[in-house]
PDB file of all heavy atoms in Angstrom:
ATOM      1  N   GLN A   1     113.446 133.404 140.666  1.00  0.00           N
ATOM      2  CA  GLN A   1     113.918 132.281 141.340  1.00  0.00           C
ATOM      3  C   GLN A   1     115.482 132.339 141.559  1.00  0.00           C
ATOM      4  O   GLN A   1     115.860 131.925 142.655  1.00  0.00           O
ATOM      5  CB  GLN A   1     113.547 131.109 140.588  1.00  0.00           C
ATOM      6  CG  GLN A   1     111.971 130.734 140.665  1.00  0.00           C
ATOM      7  CD  GLN A   1     111.515 130.555 142.171  1.00  0.00           C
ATOM      8  OE1 GLN A   1     112.168 129.918 142.927  1.00  0.00           O
ATOM      9  NE2 GLN A   1     110.399 131.312 142.453  1.00  0.00           N
ATOM     10  N   PHE A   2     116.125 132.875 140.620  1.00  0.00           N
ATOM     11  CA  PHE A   2     117.539 132.961 140.772  1.00  0.00           C
ATOM     12  C   PHE A   2     117.846 133.921 142.013  1.00  0.00           C
ATOM     13  O   PHE A   2     118.722 133.559 142.834  1.00  0.00           O
ATOM     14  CB  PHE A   2     118.286 133.562 139.485  1.00  0.00           C
ATOM     15  CG  PHE A   2     119.740 133.798 139.690  1.00  0.00           C
ATOM     16  CD1 PHE A   2     120.595 132.720 139.409  1.00  0.00           C
ATOM     17  CD2 PHE A   2     120.255 134.976 140.151  1.00  0.00           C
ATOM     18  CE1 PHE A   2     122.028 132.897 139.622  1.00  0.00           C
ATOM     19  CE2 PHE A   2     121.590 135.175 140.376  1.00  0.00           C
ATOM     20  CZ  PHE A   2     122.537 134.162 140.079  1.00  0.00           C
ATOM     21  N   SER A   3     117.161 135.047 142.085  1.00  0.00           N
ATOM     22  CA  SER A   3     117.457 135.968 143.213  1.00  0.00           C
ATOM     23  C   SER A   3     117.021 135.375 144.544  1.00  0.00           C
ATOM     24  O   SER A   3     117.732 135.555 145.510  1.00  0.00           O
ATOM     25  CB  SER A   3     116.618 137.259 142.953  1.00  0.00           C
ATOM     26  OG  SER A   3     116.918 137.797 141.699  1.00  0.00           O
ATOM     27  N   LEU A   4     115.921 134.799 144.558  1.00  0.00           N
ATOM     28  CA  LEU A   4     115.487 134.191 145.861  1.00  0.00           C
ATOM     29  C   LEU A   4     116.382 133.124 146.410  1.00  0.00           C
ATOM     30  O   LEU A   4     116.503 132.942 147.652  1.00  0.00           O
ATOM     31  CB  LEU A   4     114.099 133.605 145.698  1.00  0.00           C
ATOM     32  CG  LEU A   4     112.879 134.567 145.478  1.00  0.00           C
ATOM     33  CD1 LEU A   4     111.607 133.846 145.113  1.00  0.00           C
ATOM     34  CD2 LEU A   4     112.721 135.483 146.732  1.00  0.00           C
ATOM     35  N   ASN A   5     117.061 132.420 145.526  1.00  0.00           N
ATOM     36  CA  ASN A   5     117.915 131.381 145.937  1.00  0.00           C
ATOM     37  C   ASN A   5     119.379 131.656 145.935  1.00  0.00           C
ATOM     38  O   ASN A   5     120.198 130.757 146.170  1.00  0.00           O
ATOM     39  CB  ASN A   5     117.671 130.083 144.991  1.00  0.00           C
ATOM     40  CG  ASN A   5     116.183 129.570 145.293  1.00  0.00           C
ATOM     41  OD1 ASN A   5     115.853 129.156 146.351  1.00  0.00           O
ATOM     42  ND2 ASN A   5     115.423 129.514 144.188  1.00  0.00           N
ATOM     43  N   ALA A   6     119.771 132.861 145.443  1.00  0.00           N
ATOM     44  CA  ALA A   6     121.141 133.205 145.288  1.00  0.00           C
ATOM     45  C   ALA A   6     122.007 132.990 146.581  1.00  0.00           C
ATOM     46  O   ALA A   6     123.138 132.381 146.501  1.00  0.00           O
ATOM     47  CB  ALA A   6     121.264 134.612 144.860  1.00  0.00           C
ATOM     48  N   ARG A   7     121.538 133.456 147.698  1.00  0.00           N
ATOM     49  CA  ARG A   7     122.417 133.354 148.865  1.00  0.00           C
ATOM     50  C   ARG A   7     122.648 131.900 149.257  1.00  0.00           C
ATOM     51  O   ARG A   7     123.776 131.420 149.530  1.00  0.00           O
ATOM     52  CB  ARG A   7     121.640 134.110 150.073  1.00  0.00           C
ATOM     53  CG  ARG A   7     122.560 134.080 151.345  1.00  0.00           C
ATOM     54  CD  ARG A   7     121.859 134.845 152.416  1.00  0.00           C
ATOM     55  NE  ARG A   7     121.656 136.224 152.130  1.00  0.00           N
ATOM     56  CZ  ARG A   7     122.478 137.326 152.317  1.00  0.00           C
ATOM     57  NH1 ARG A   7     123.672 136.968 152.759  1.00  0.00           N
ATOM     58  NH2 ARG A   7     122.129 138.463 151.959  1.00  0.00           N
ATOM     59  N   LYS A   8     121.571 131.039 149.228  1.00  0.00           N
ATOM     60  CA  LYS A   8     121.819 129.614 149.531  1.00  0.00           C
ATOM     61  C   LYS A   8     122.565 128.847 148.527  1.00  0.00           C
ATOM     62  O   LYS A   8     123.117 127.837 148.832  1.00  0.00           O
ATOM     63  CB  LYS A   8     120.452 128.916 149.847  1.00  0.00           C
ATOM     64  CG  LYS A   8     119.584 128.563 148.713  1.00  0.00           C
ATOM     65  CD  LYS A   8     118.361 127.817 149.168  1.00  0.00           C
ATOM     66  CE  LYS A   8     117.657 127.308 147.854  1.00  0.00           C
ATOM     67  NZ  LYS A   8     116.499 126.603 148.170  1.00  0.00           N
ATOM     68  N   ASN A   9     122.630 129.353 147.319  1.00  0.00           N
ATOM     69  CA  ASN A   9     123.422 128.791 146.177  1.00  0.00           C
ATOM     70  C   ASN A   9     124.802 129.308 146.214  1.00  0.00           C
ATOM     71  O   ASN A   9     125.548 129.029 145.150  1.00  0.00           O
ATOM     72  CB  ASN A   9     122.677 129.019 144.882  1.00  0.00           C
ATOM     73  CG  ASN A   9     121.512 128.152 144.715  1.00  0.00           C
ATOM     74  OD1 ASN A   9     121.332 127.088 145.382  1.00  0.00           O
ATOM     75  ND2 ASN A   9     120.443 128.573 143.941  1.00  0.00           N
ATOM     76  N   GLY A  10     125.243 130.024 147.303  1.00  0.00           N
ATOM     77  CA  GLY A  10     126.680 130.331 147.318  1.00  0.00           C
ATOM     78  C   GLY A  10     127.088 131.646 146.814  1.00  0.00           C
ATOM     79  O   GLY A  10     128.282 131.936 146.596  1.00  0.00           O
ATOM     80  N   PHE A  11     126.148 132.478 146.335  1.00  0.00           N
ATOM     81  CA  PHE A  11     126.557 133.856 145.732  1.00  0.00           C
ATOM     82  C   PHE A  11     126.718 134.881 146.834  1.00  0.00           C
ATOM     83  O   PHE A  11     125.976 134.704 147.970  1.00  0.00           O
ATOM     84  CB  PHE A  11     125.394 134.300 144.786  1.00  0.00           C
ATOM     85  CG  PHE A  11     125.277 133.437 143.581  1.00  0.00           C
ATOM     86  CD1 PHE A  11     124.536 132.352 143.541  1.00  0.00           C
ATOM     87  CD2 PHE A  11     126.191 133.674 142.548  1.00  0.00           C
ATOM     88  CE1 PHE A  11     124.358 131.570 142.313  1.00  0.00           C
ATOM     89  CE2 PHE A  11     126.163 132.891 141.354  1.00  0.00           C
ATOM     90  CZ  PHE A  11     125.214 131.838 141.250  1.00  0.00           C
ATOM     91  N   GLY A  12     127.641 135.758 146.667  1.00  0.00           N
ATOM     92  CA  GLY A  12     127.771 136.840 147.647  1.00  0.00           C
ATOM     93  C   GLY A  12     127.487 138.244 147.080  1.00  0.00           C
ATOM     94  O   GLY A  12     127.449 139.197 147.825  1.00  0.00           O
ATOM     95  N   ALA A  13     127.315 138.283 145.702  1.00  0.00           N
ATOM     96  CA  ALA A  13     126.907 139.552 145.061  1.00  0.00           C
ATOM     97  C   ALA A  13     126.383 139.194 143.689  1.00  0.00           C
ATOM     98  O   ALA A  13     126.743 138.092 143.203  1.00  0.00           O
ATOM     99  CB  ALA A  13     128.070 140.532 144.947  1.00  0.00           C
ATOM    100  N   ILE A  14     125.667 140.127 143.111  1.00  0.00           N
ATOM    101  CA  ILE A  14     125.033 139.947 141.737  1.00  0.00           C
ATOM    102  C   ILE A  14     125.266 141.200 140.973  1.00  0.00           C
ATOM    103  O   ILE A  14     125.012 142.198 141.399  1.00  0.00           O
ATOM    104  CB  ILE A  14     123.576 139.585 141.863  1.00  0.00           C
ATOM    105  CG1 ILE A  14     123.370 138.363 142.684  1.00  0.00           C
ATOM    106  CG2 ILE A  14     123.028 139.412 140.480  1.00  0.00           C
ATOM    107  CD1 ILE A  14     121.869 138.111 143.064  1.00  0.00           C
ATOM    108  N   ILE A  15     125.781 140.907 139.730  1.00  0.00           N
ATOM    109  CA  ILE A  15     125.888 141.976 138.730  1.00  0.00           C
ATOM    110  C   ILE A  15     124.724 141.761 137.761  1.00  0.00           C
ATOM    111  O   ILE A  15     124.506 140.640 137.313  1.00  0.00           O
ATOM    112  CB  ILE A  15     127.221 141.918 137.942  1.00  0.00           C
ATOM    113  CG1 ILE A  15     128.334 142.116 138.922  1.00  0.00           C
ATOM    114  CG2 ILE A  15     127.234 142.830 136.751  1.00  0.00           C
ATOM    115  CD1 ILE A  15     129.746 141.881 138.306  1.00  0.00           C
ATOM    116  N   ALA A  16     123.943 142.756 137.481  1.00  0.00           N
ATOM    117  CA  ALA A  16     122.779 142.716 136.553  1.00  0.00           C
ATOM    118  C   ALA A  16     123.015 143.805 135.490  1.00  0.00           C
ATOM    119  O   ALA A  16     123.154 144.948 135.787  1.00  0.00           O
ATOM    120  CB  ALA A  16     121.439 142.939 137.335  1.00  0.00           C
ATOM    121  N   ALA A  17     123.104 143.314 134.191  1.00  0.00           N
ATOM    122  CA  ALA A  17     123.343 144.235 133.087  1.00  0.00           C
ATOM    123  C   ALA A  17     122.132 144.147 132.219  1.00  0.00           C
ATOM    124  O   ALA A  17     121.674 143.098 131.818  1.00  0.00           O
ATOM    125  CB  ALA A  17     124.596 143.741 132.302  1.00  0.00           C
ATOM    126  N   ALA A  18     121.694 145.384 131.831  1.00  0.00           N
ATOM    127  CA  ALA A  18     120.471 145.518 130.957  1.00  0.00           C
ATOM    128  C   ALA A  18     120.445 146.819 130.313  1.00  0.00           C
ATOM    129  O   ALA A  18     120.963 147.905 130.878  1.00  0.00           O
ATOM    130  CB  ALA A  18     119.232 145.252 131.727  1.00  0.00           C
ATOM    131  N   GLY A  19     119.889 146.870 129.085  1.00  0.00           N
ATOM    132  CA  GLY A  19     119.783 148.092 128.380  1.00  0.00           C
ATOM    133  C   GLY A  19     118.337 148.592 128.389  1.00  0.00           C
ATOM    134  O   GLY A  19     117.401 147.977 128.831  1.00  0.00           O
ATOM    135  N   MET A  20     118.104 149.734 127.636  1.00  0.00           N
ATOM    136  CA  MET A  20     116.822 150.370 127.501  1.00  0.00           C
ATOM    137  C   MET A  20     116.008 150.456 128.829  1.00  0.00           C
ATOM    138  O   MET A  20     116.441 151.267 129.653  1.00  0.00           O
ATOM    139  CB  MET A  20     116.082 149.571 126.455  1.00  0.00           C
ATOM    140  CG  MET A  20     116.856 149.577 125.143  1.00  0.00           C
ATOM    141  SD  MET A  20     116.164 148.590 123.812  1.00  0.00           S
ATOM    142  CE  MET A  20     114.877 149.666 123.264  1.00  0.00           C
ATOM    143  N   ALA A  21     114.955 149.790 128.963  1.00  0.00           N
ATOM    144  CA  ALA A  21     114.170 149.942 130.238  1.00  0.00           C
ATOM    145  C   ALA A  21     114.908 149.574 131.466  1.00  0.00           C
ATOM    146  O   ALA A  21     114.709 150.079 132.571  1.00  0.00           O
ATOM    147  CB  ALA A  21     112.833 149.126 130.129  1.00  0.00           C
ATOM    148  N   ALA A  22     115.733 148.636 131.307  1.00  0.00           N
ATOM    149  CA  ALA A  22     116.812 148.133 132.359  1.00  0.00           C
ATOM    150  C   ALA A  22     116.201 147.903 133.694  1.00  0.00           C
ATOM    151  O   ALA A  22     116.751 148.347 134.697  1.00  0.00           O
ATOM    152  CB  ALA A  22     117.919 149.175 132.429  1.00  0.00           C
ATOM    153  N   HIS A  23     115.142 147.198 133.784  1.00  0.00           N
ATOM    154  CA  HIS A  23     114.580 146.842 135.070  1.00  0.00           C
ATOM    155  C   HIS A  23     115.173 145.608 135.722  1.00  0.00           C
ATOM    156  O   HIS A  23     114.835 145.257 136.835  1.00  0.00           O
ATOM    157  CB  HIS A  23     113.049 146.448 134.832  1.00  0.00           C
ATOM    158  CG  HIS A  23     112.307 147.680 134.395  1.00  0.00           C
ATOM    159  ND1 HIS A  23     111.380 147.612 133.372  1.00  0.00           N
ATOM    160  CD2 HIS A  23     112.286 148.967 134.849  1.00  0.00           C
ATOM    161  CE1 HIS A  23     110.935 148.912 133.238  1.00  0.00           C
ATOM    162  NE2 HIS A  23     111.476 149.705 134.124  1.00  0.00           N
ATOM    163  N   LEU A  24     116.121 144.959 134.977  1.00  0.00           N
ATOM    164  CA  LEU A  24     116.695 143.742 135.613  1.00  0.00           C
ATOM    165  C   LEU A  24     117.373 143.886 136.913  1.00  0.00           C
ATOM    166  O   LEU A  24     117.099 143.099 137.865  1.00  0.00           O
ATOM    167  CB  LEU A  24     117.711 143.168 134.689  1.00  0.00           C
ATOM    168  CG  LEU A  24     118.328 141.774 135.080  1.00  0.00           C
ATOM    169  CD1 LEU A  24     117.197 140.800 135.111  1.00  0.00           C
ATOM    170  CD2 LEU A  24     119.321 141.343 133.982  1.00  0.00           C
ATOM    171  N   ALA A  25     118.204 144.938 137.179  1.00  0.00           N
ATOM    172  CA  ALA A  25     118.855 145.040 138.452  1.00  0.00           C
ATOM    173  C   ALA A  25     117.839 145.222 139.556  1.00  0.00           C
ATOM    174  O   ALA A  25     117.968 144.664 140.659  1.00  0.00           O
ATOM    175  CB  ALA A  25     119.806 146.195 138.404  1.00  0.00           C
ATOM    176  N   GLY A  26     116.813 146.056 139.330  1.00  0.00           N
ATOM    177  CA  GLY A  26     115.752 146.223 140.350  1.00  0.00           C
ATOM    178  C   GLY A  26     115.013 144.941 140.541  1.00  0.00           C
ATOM    179  O   GLY A  26     114.588 144.695 141.772  1.00  0.00           O
ATOM    180  N   ALA A  27     114.688 144.226 139.530  1.00  0.00           N
ATOM    181  CA  ALA A  27     113.934 142.971 139.729  1.00  0.00           C
ATOM    182  C   ALA A  27     114.710 141.996 140.548  1.00  0.00           C
ATOM    183  O   ALA A  27     114.227 141.342 141.438  1.00  0.00           O
ATOM    184  CB  ALA A  27     113.484 142.432 138.386  1.00  0.00           C
ATOM    185  N   ILE A  28     116.027 141.969 140.319  1.00  0.00           N
ATOM    186  CA  ILE A  28     116.917 141.032 141.022  1.00  0.00           C
ATOM    187  C   ILE A  28     116.999 141.577 142.443  1.00  0.00           C
ATOM    188  O   ILE A  28     116.749 140.828 143.455  1.00  0.00           O
ATOM    189  CB  ILE A  28     118.341 141.004 140.422  1.00  0.00           C
ATOM    190  CG1 ILE A  28     118.278 140.393 139.015  1.00  0.00           C
ATOM    191  CG2 ILE A  28     119.211 140.265 141.272  1.00  0.00           C
ATOM    192  CD1 ILE A  28     117.984 138.971 138.973  1.00  0.00           C
ATOM    193  N   ALA A  29     117.233 142.846 142.706  1.00  0.00           N
ATOM    194  CA  ALA A  29     117.397 143.405 144.063  1.00  0.00           C
ATOM    195  C   ALA A  29     116.124 143.179 144.938  1.00  0.00           C
ATOM    196  O   ALA A  29     116.212 143.049 146.161  1.00  0.00           O
ATOM    197  CB  ALA A  29     117.797 144.880 143.936  1.00  0.00           C
ATOM    198  N   ALA A  30     114.958 143.287 144.202  1.00  0.00           N
ATOM    199  CA  ALA A  30     113.690 143.216 144.959  1.00  0.00           C
ATOM    200  C   ALA A  30     113.553 141.782 145.598  1.00  0.00           C
ATOM    201  O   ALA A  30     112.757 141.573 146.566  1.00  0.00           O
ATOM    202  CB  ALA A  30     112.514 143.392 144.081  1.00  0.00           C
ATOM    203  N   ASN A  31     114.303 140.780 145.126  1.00  0.00           N
ATOM    204  CA  ASN A  31     114.194 139.413 145.620  1.00  0.00           C
ATOM    205  C   ASN A  31     115.342 138.812 146.251  1.00  0.00           C
ATOM    206  O   ASN A  31     115.472 137.651 146.440  1.00  0.00           O
ATOM    207  CB  ASN A  31     113.735 138.529 144.475  1.00  0.00           C
ATOM    208  CG  ASN A  31     112.364 138.852 143.956  1.00  0.00           C
ATOM    209  OD1 ASN A  31     111.341 138.692 144.660  1.00  0.00           O
ATOM    210  ND2 ASN A  31     112.224 139.341 142.746  1.00  0.00           N
ATOM    211  N   THR A  32     116.331 139.675 146.685  1.00  0.00           N
ATOM    212  CA  THR A  32     117.485 139.224 147.498  1.00  0.00           C
ATOM    213  C   THR A  32     117.995 140.392 148.333  1.00  0.00           C
ATOM    214  O   THR A  32     117.728 141.566 148.062  1.00  0.00           O
ATOM    215  CB  THR A  32     118.620 138.832 146.550  1.00  0.00           C
ATOM    216  OG1 THR A  32     119.676 138.214 147.284  1.00  0.00           O
ATOM    217  CG2 THR A  32     119.130 139.935 145.660  1.00  0.00           C
ATOM    218  N   THR A  33     118.683 139.993 149.407  1.00  0.00           N
ATOM    219  CA  THR A  33     119.358 141.093 150.200  1.00  0.00           C
ATOM    220  C   THR A  33     120.811 141.047 149.944  1.00  0.00           C
ATOM    221  O   THR A  33     121.618 141.746 150.589  1.00  0.00           O
ATOM    222  CB  THR A  33     119.052 140.680 151.732  1.00  0.00           C
ATOM    223  OG1 THR A  33     119.481 139.479 151.982  1.00  0.00           O
ATOM    224  CG2 THR A  33     117.618 140.949 152.081  1.00  0.00           C
ATOM    225  N   LEU A  34     121.300 140.331 148.904  1.00  0.00           N
ATOM    226  CA  LEU A  34     122.653 140.390 148.517  1.00  0.00           C
ATOM    227  C   LEU A  34     122.979 141.737 147.783  1.00  0.00           C
ATOM    228  O   LEU A  34     122.012 142.309 147.236  1.00  0.00           O
ATOM    229  CB  LEU A  34     122.990 139.268 147.524  1.00  0.00           C
ATOM    230  CG  LEU A  34     122.998 137.881 148.092  1.00  0.00           C
ATOM    231  CD1 LEU A  34     123.207 136.834 147.003  1.00  0.00           C
ATOM    232  CD2 LEU A  34     124.084 137.710 149.109  1.00  0.00           C
ATOM    233  N   PRO A  35     124.175 142.223 147.753  1.00  0.00           N
ATOM    234  CA  PRO A  35     124.469 143.425 146.989  1.00  0.00           C
ATOM    235  C   PRO A  35     124.261 143.150 145.528  1.00  0.00           C
ATOM    236  O   PRO A  35     124.573 142.200 144.999  1.00  0.00           O
ATOM    237  CB  PRO A  35     125.957 143.683 147.334  1.00  0.00           C
ATOM    238  CG  PRO A  35     126.303 142.844 148.453  1.00  0.00           C
ATOM    239  CD  PRO A  35     125.321 141.711 148.548  1.00  0.00           C
ATOM    240  N   VAL A  36     123.573 144.140 144.883  1.00  0.00           N
ATOM    241  CA  VAL A  36     123.318 144.015 143.426  1.00  0.00           C
ATOM    242  C   VAL A  36     123.960 145.302 142.795  1.00  0.00           C
ATOM    243  O   VAL A  36     123.736 146.387 143.297  1.00  0.00           O
ATOM    244  CB  VAL A  36     121.846 143.985 143.112  1.00  0.00           C
ATOM    245  CG1 VAL A  36     121.596 144.067 141.603  1.00  0.00           C
ATOM    246  CG2 VAL A  36     121.200 142.776 143.747  1.00  0.00           C
ATOM    247  N   ILE A  37     124.794 145.015 141.823  1.00  0.00           N
ATOM    248  CA  ILE A  37     125.403 146.077 141.058  1.00  0.00           C
ATOM    249  C   ILE A  37     124.855 146.106 139.656  1.00  0.00           C
ATOM    250  O   ILE A  37     124.936 145.019 138.930  1.00  0.00           O
ATOM    251  CB  ILE A  37     126.950 145.855 140.976  1.00  0.00           C
ATOM    252  CG1 ILE A  37     127.518 145.889 142.424  1.00  0.00           C
ATOM    253  CG2 ILE A  37     127.599 147.019 140.079  1.00  0.00           C
ATOM    254  CD1 ILE A  37     127.856 144.652 142.932  1.00  0.00           C
ATOM    255  N   GLY A  38     124.255 147.236 139.264  1.00  0.00           N
ATOM    256  CA  GLY A  38     123.684 147.237 137.932  1.00  0.00           C
ATOM    257  C   GLY A  38     124.625 147.962 136.916  1.00  0.00           C
ATOM    258  O   GLY A  38     125.289 148.841 137.204  1.00  0.00           O
ATOM    259  N   ILE A  39     124.604 147.302 135.686  1.00  0.00           N
ATOM    260  CA  ILE A  39     125.461 147.900 134.599  1.00  0.00           C
ATOM    261  C   ILE A  39     124.331 148.282 133.517  1.00  0.00           C
ATOM    262  O   ILE A  39     123.725 147.455 132.879  1.00  0.00           O
ATOM    263  CB  ILE A  39     126.368 146.837 133.942  1.00  0.00           C
ATOM    264  CG1 ILE A  39     127.275 146.155 134.916  1.00  0.00           C
ATOM    265  CG2 ILE A  39     127.080 147.495 132.762  1.00  0.00           C
ATOM    266  CD1 ILE A  39     128.100 145.104 134.355  1.00  0.00           C
ATOM    267  N   PRO A  40     124.183 149.608 133.365  1.00  0.00           N
ATOM    268  CA  PRO A  40     123.338 150.099 132.308  1.00  0.00           C
ATOM    269  C   PRO A  40     124.070 149.832 130.913  1.00  0.00           C
ATOM    270  O   PRO A  40     125.247 150.171 130.867  1.00  0.00           O
ATOM    271  CB  PRO A  40     123.160 151.594 132.565  1.00  0.00           C
ATOM    272  CG  PRO A  40     123.930 151.865 133.833  1.00  0.00           C
ATOM    273  CD  PRO A  40     124.745 150.745 134.165  1.00  0.00           C
ATOM    274  N   ILE A  41     123.396 149.205 130.074  1.00  0.00           N
ATOM    275  CA  ILE A  41     123.966 148.986 128.755  1.00  0.00           C
ATOM    276  C   ILE A  41     123.479 149.954 127.695  1.00  0.00           C
ATOM    277  O   ILE A  41     122.366 150.285 127.530  1.00  0.00           O
ATOM    278  CB  ILE A  41     123.528 147.492 128.304  1.00  0.00           C
ATOM    279  CG1 ILE A  41     123.968 146.494 129.389  1.00  0.00           C
ATOM    280  CG2 ILE A  41     124.148 147.164 126.963  1.00  0.00           C
ATOM    281  CD1 ILE A  41     125.441 146.286 129.445  1.00  0.00           C
ATOM    282  N   ASN A  42     124.483 150.347 126.907  1.00  0.00           N
ATOM    283  CA  ASN A  42     124.204 151.228 125.775  1.00  0.00           C
ATOM    284  C   ASN A  42     123.624 150.451 124.611  1.00  0.00           C
ATOM    285  O   ASN A  42     124.376 149.831 123.830  1.00  0.00           O
ATOM    286  CB  ASN A  42     125.403 151.969 125.356  1.00  0.00           C
ATOM    287  CG  ASN A  42     125.315 152.866 124.126  1.00  0.00           C
ATOM    288  OD1 ASN A  42     124.206 152.992 123.557  1.00  0.00           O
ATOM    289  ND2 ASN A  42     126.317 153.498 123.621  1.00  0.00           N
ATOM    290  N   SER A  43     122.309 150.387 124.560  1.00  0.00           N
ATOM    291  CA  SER A  43     121.687 149.491 123.473  1.00  0.00           C
ATOM    292  C   SER A  43     120.499 150.158 122.752  1.00  0.00           C
ATOM    293  O   SER A  43     119.896 149.488 121.935  1.00  0.00           O
ATOM    294  CB  SER A  43     121.269 148.172 124.107  1.00  0.00           C
ATOM    295  OG  SER A  43     120.246 148.449 125.089  1.00  0.00           O
ATOM    296  N   GLY A  44     120.227 151.415 123.057  1.00  0.00           N
ATOM    297  CA  GLY A  44     119.065 151.981 122.435  1.00  0.00           C
ATOM    298  C   GLY A  44     119.352 153.326 121.865  1.00  0.00           C
ATOM    299  O   GLY A  44     120.541 153.723 121.818  1.00  0.00           O
ATOM    300  N   LYS A  45     118.313 154.030 121.405  1.00  0.00           N
ATOM    301  CA  LYS A  45     118.507 155.263 120.757  1.00  0.00           C
ATOM    302  C   LYS A  45     119.074 156.373 121.691  1.00  0.00           C
ATOM    303  O   LYS A  45     119.528 157.385 121.196  1.00  0.00           O
ATOM    304  CB  LYS A  45     117.173 155.759 120.138  1.00  0.00           C
ATOM    305  CG  LYS A  45     116.690 154.876 119.066  1.00  0.00           C
ATOM    306  CD  LYS A  45     115.381 155.248 118.524  1.00  0.00           C
ATOM    307  CE  LYS A  45     114.906 154.264 117.475  1.00  0.00           C
ATOM    308  NZ  LYS A  45     113.660 154.651 116.907  1.00  0.00           N
ATOM    309  N   LEU A  46     118.925 156.184 122.946  1.00  0.00           N
ATOM    310  CA  LEU A  46     119.438 157.221 123.946  1.00  0.00           C
ATOM    311  C   LEU A  46     120.775 156.969 124.477  1.00  0.00           C
ATOM    312  O   LEU A  46     121.153 157.523 125.474  1.00  0.00           O
ATOM    313  CB  LEU A  46     118.364 157.274 124.997  1.00  0.00           C
ATOM    314  CG  LEU A  46     116.899 157.702 124.658  1.00  0.00           C
ATOM    315  CD1 LEU A  46     115.965 157.606 125.912  1.00  0.00           C
ATOM    316  CD2 LEU A  46     116.914 159.044 123.978  1.00  0.00           C
ATOM    317  N   SER A  47     121.496 156.151 123.749  1.00  0.00           N
ATOM    318  CA  SER A  47     122.941 155.789 124.094  1.00  0.00           C
ATOM    319  C   SER A  47     123.134 155.363 125.509  1.00  0.00           C
ATOM    320  O   SER A  47     124.172 155.598 126.089  1.00  0.00           O
ATOM    321  CB  SER A  47     123.746 157.103 123.820  1.00  0.00           C
ATOM    322  OG  SER A  47     123.605 157.499 122.545  1.00  0.00           O
TER     323      SER A  47
END
């Protein structure tokens, strides 16, 4: 819902930060045409 409504809510870009499986940026990008920038987070055994 955040992604689908981001443009109409005044956003111009989205930063999505997640660790491990890190599907957040992709899930956000799948629901908006705004630029999405992913930050992979060092939070697991694989650094």
